[in-house]
């Protein structure tokens, strides 16, 4: 379960950004995660809740936004949203190794009480 180690990394970023903002309490977090990372959003959320307990972010609303995998097909020269992680063009069946989105792992926004 790599969600736990990723949640730990996010907790560090959340603490750092919260301190910069002078937050007494963190109310809401929005995290963008690319589907190519193969994370389970519910598991990531639960790990974050556990790690953030007894911090200024305890009880914060956590929103995970999944970013779809998009890749350029070298045969069709079109950008396609990939249905699965095999990166195969749905039109011509070619492999699409040029991933344009879906690898994101980002603390996108935070709402704080100061």
């Amino acid at each position: 379960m790599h969600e736990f180690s990723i949640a730990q990394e996010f907790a560090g970023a959340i603490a750092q950004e919260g301190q910069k903002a002078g937050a007494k309490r963190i109310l809401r977090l929005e995290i963008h995660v690319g589907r190519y990372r193969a994370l389970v959003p519910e598991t990531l959320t639960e790990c974050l809740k556990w790690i953030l307990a007894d911090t200024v972010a305890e009880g914060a609303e956590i929103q995970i936004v999944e970013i779809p995998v998009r890749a350029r097909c070298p045969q069709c020269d079109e950008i396609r949203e990939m249905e699965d992680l095999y990166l195969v063009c749905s039109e011509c069946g070619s492999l699409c190794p040029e991933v344009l989105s879906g690898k994101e792992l980002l603390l996108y926004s935070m709402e704080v009480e100061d």
Side-chain angles (χ1 to χ4, degrees), residues 14 20 26 32 34 53-54 77-78 90 96 113:
I14 290 163
K20 279 185 200 175
I26 296 172
H32 290 195
D54 298 324
D77 196 34
E78 295 289 328
S90 58
C96 303
E113 180 181 288

Side-chain angles (χ1 to χ4, degrees), residues 8-31 52 55-57 105-114:
Q8 286 178 310
E9 293 293 323
F10 272 120
I14 290 163
Q16 184 177 13
E17 292 301 315
Q19 187 175 25
K20 279 185 200 175
K24 291 180 184 170
R25 193 163 162 246
I26 296 172
L27 305 172
R28 187 177 169 286
L29 301 165
E30 183 176 325
I31 295 172
L52 296 173
T55 71
V56 296
L105 195 54
L106 175 69
L107 174 58
Y108 185 78
S109 68
M110 247 173 44
E111 183 180 325
V112 301
E113 180 181 288
D114 48 5

Side-chain angles (χ1 to χ4, degrees), residues 34-103:
R35 288 193 62 225
Y36 197 73
R37 297 238 178 219
L39 293 170
V40 178
E42 295 81 11
T43 305
L44 180 58
T45 299
E46 289 306 311
C47 289
L48 277 167
K49 286 179 181 178
W50 188 78
I51 291 169
L52 296 173
D54 298 324
T55 71
V56 296
E58 182 174 24
E61 175 190 342
I62 300 169
Q63 180 184 13
I64 307 287
V65 176
E66 284 190 284
I67 308 298
V69 177
R70 287 192 169 85
R72 182 180 310 279
C73 176
Q75 191 69 33
C76 304
D77 196 34
E78 295 289 328
I79 296 172
R80 307 240 186 253
E81 189 168 314
M82 300 287 112
E83 297 299 318
D84 55 42
L85 301 181
Y86 296 115
L87 303 178
V88 175
C89 177
S90 58
E91 295 298 314
C92 72
S94 295
L95 290 177
C96 303
E98 185 185 353
V99 176
L100 304 173
S101 72
K103 294 181 178 181

